[in-house]
Amino acid sequence: MLGNYLKFNNKAFPNPLPSSIHKAPPVENVSESEAGTDLVVVVRAAKNNWSFVWNLSYETKERLRELCLEEKVTMIYMGTSYTVRLRDYTEKLVEGSEWLSSTDGLYEVSVTVLEY
């Protein structure tokens, strides 16, 4: 197990579920010449974005939801620091978790993290 290797604004979050995804597509400006040839200008070789999924307690879910309202967040992921935006927040109550006595339910939460 990797342990807590993901932090937002220096607050540790649990390991995301295996269904989380990392992409690093290039940022390009593409136009077409009069001859029909693509003219590509690479602005950035790779812009990281992640789709994280967690099972979170009510308290941790609320902390993440508040981070999604901020303009910029510092993310430390596997020892590397990134300046990111958190978007596309979704939550769903995990079936049967409303019966937990230690927290106000367990939630499956997903968020998209976009590098600045």
Side-chain angles (χ1 to χ4, degrees), residues 54-56 61 91-94 104-109:
W54 294 273
N55 284 332
L56 299 176
K61 166 195 78 89
E91 68 178 59
K92 136 178 123 169
L93 185 64
V94 173
D104 291 334
L106 183 64
Y107 295 82
E108 183 177 294
V109 179

Side-chain angles (χ1 to χ4, degrees), residues 1 9-10 15 17 38 65 67 71-72 76 101:
M1 190 58 143
N9 286 350
N10 218 21
N15 294 336
L17 297 176
D38 281 347
R65 190 180 60 75
L67 287 170
E71 182 181 339
K72 290 184 189 178
I76 300 173
S101 60

Side-chain angles (χ1 to χ4, degrees), residues 8 11 43 49-50 61 71 78 100 103 110-111 115-116:
F8 292 109
K11 295 179 184 171
V43 177
N49 61 67
W50 298 264
K61 166 195 78 89
E71 182 181 339
M78 298 179 79
L100 292 173
T103 185
S110 65
V111 70
E115 183 179 24
Y116 260 87

Side-chain angles (χ1 to χ4, degrees), residues 8-50:
F8 292 109
N9 286 350
N10 218 21
K11 295 179 184 171
F13 277 76
N15 294 336
L17 297 176
S19 58
S20 298
I21 299 170
H22 174 235
K23 296 179 188 176
V27 178
E28 302 174 330
N29 288 332
V30 181
S31 58
E32 193 172 296
S33 71
E34 290 179 11
T37 306
D38 281 347
L39 304 171
V40 180
V41 177
V42 177
V43 177
R44 190 168 172 180
K47 183 176 180 179
N48 291 303
N49 61 67
W50 298 264

Side-chain angles (χ1 to χ4, degrees), residues 43-82:
V43 177
R44 190 168 172 180
K47 183 176 180 179
N48 291 303
N49 61 67
W50 298 264
S51 295
F52 290 125
V53 180
W54 294 273
N55 284 332
L56 299 176
S57 68
Y58 177 82
E59 295 80 12
T60 308
K61 166 195 78 89
E62 287 300 306
R63 190 169 16 141
L64 182 64
R65 190 180 60 75
E66 289 172 9
L67 287 170
C68 290
L69 301 175
E70 294 186 21
E71 182 181 339
K72 290 184 189 178
V73 175
T74 300
M75 177 179 79
I76 300 173
Y77 182 58
M78 298 179 79
T80 305
S81 182
Y82 301 93

